[in-house]
Amino acid sequence: MTQVQLDVAIVLAAGAGTRMKSDTPKVMHQIAGRTIIGHVLNEVNSLSPKDLRVVVGHGREVVEPHVKEIAHSAKTVFQAEQKGTGHAVQLALADLSTTGTVLILAGDTPLLRKETLAEFFEAHSKNKNHASVLTAELPDPSGYGRIVRNEDGEIVAIVEERDATEELKGINEINTGVYLFDIATLKESVKKLKSNNSQGELYLTDVIAEIKNGGGKTAAILSLDYTETLGINDRAQLAESVAIMRDRINDQHMRNGVTIVDPTTTWIDSTVVISNDVTIYPGTWLRGKTSIESGAVIGPRSTLADVKVGAGASIVESQVSESEVGSGSSVGPFSFIRPGTKLAANTKVGAYVEVKKSIIGEGSKVPHLSYVGDAEIGEGTNIGAATIFVNYDGVEKHQTVIGKDVRIGSDTMLVAPVTVGDGAYTAAGSVITEDIPAGANFHI
Ligand code: UD1
Ligand code: MG
């Protein structure tokens, strides 16, 4: 990627997003585990702008703290009334003394990649343009601003769909809403914007004609992959973008040596880390800060959220969250592993077993039909089928501690707080209410 010297970046995110019909601001909807604006800021940040500004307005109380959290250096600019993209940029430039180049883009185009932005920057800088707009040719351009070029192919104006004649509507090259400007030129021209259009707004798009007519150098630069420039205005477009992002993420993992048996039913958040030679079976959803080491086998039909999976582990038809599954361990089918669980290496959690906030030592097994809650289990221990860790007395949760090499008989109730010492055996069907010393054998 080329070295980008970006002075300022402005992300426009003050609009209402009416067509989403949502109480959640549009840019806060999720794609692959990140908000829409999170994706945009992630790509823009990788170009290291010296000054990053986000224009917020609608849903500011939610959007502003989120922006600060994910992009620490970002400044937010408040646009109380949404009087158009030109107005938003006027506000963002108001106290800006820097010169150089500014990138402007919308907060609702999450599929744009940093590589595309970098190439756009390179073309703009090489040609010493005053204004460049990134364009795309869409199979269906309706709703977008159209790019009007003269006989020499130079861009002369951008005309919004609502303001376009039938002839102009026939143009399928559209404005993606991504621009690069020389800051001094832009400052001059945004002052001159007028709201003489069908929406009575100040359109940023009008600065292109303004700069061109004033003798500035303008260019429309066509991006090759139009899917990157899709904006999200409603839930159907959200689903379309989610699917494109899924394919993109899966492709990346497959190129890195991960086997994904059915990429159309495998959903992986952009934050997930997977080593090579991991196999993922259909219907699997990997979320958040999940990481998976080499040789592990996940799925079919499993959901992992914030899970650390060790090398060679296997997780089949199970739900696991905020937990660790040690190398060589096996989970499932039909296991439910809840937050705060740590399975050491080579453990087994089998069919219809629920584990919550528990540590299970190396080589230990909970093979069938059990509930393990608030427990610590040592190494080499076996928990018999249908054992219940009775951790809740109706008021408080209590801890159970089980030593190493213990054999808990089937259908045992361990009434916490209770301790079972190393090497102890308990008989099937016991209700354990008192501590059991090491080596005890209730079996004979
Ligand atoms: C805009 C462009 C259009 C382009 C399309 C690409 C204008 C006039 N039109 O249209 O040429 O094809 O994007 O997606 O710019 N916003 C603010 N404050 C405002 C108004 C908008 O911050 O007062 C933000 C919105 O939150 C959004 C972005 O600017 O992120 C674009 O605004 P939107 O109203 O969606 O413009 P489009 O109609 O999509
Ligand atoms: Mg839009």
Side-chain angles (χ1 to χ4, degrees), residues 398-410:
H398 300 281
Q399 197 74 15
T400 299
V401 178
I402 302 207
K404 59 179 183 180
D405 301 320
V406 171
R407 296 285 172 274
I408 299 289
S410 292

Side-chain angles (χ1 to χ4, degrees), residues 11-17 19 26-27 54-58 79 81-89 105-109 133 141 143-147 158-163 174-179 197 199 201-206 229-233:
V11 178
L12 306 182
R19 284 166 283 176
K26 175 165 82 175
V27 293
V54 182
V55 182
V56 296
H58 182 86
Q79 186 190 26
E81 265 183 279
Q82 284 79 60
K83 295 183 196 163
T85 47
H87 178 242
V89 169
L105 72 174
D108 66 353
T109 49
V133 51
Y144 289 90
R146 305 297 205 281
I147 303 297
I158 299 172
V159 179
E160 292 306 294
E161 163 115 359
R162 296 162 188 259
D163 304 299
I174 60 97
N175 168 24
T176 65
V178 183
Y179 318 82
N197 51 58
Q199 297 195 85
E201 288 186 353
L202 297 178
Y203 286 172
L204 178 61
T205 45
D206 288 345
T229 62
L230 294 174
I232 294 173
N233 294 306

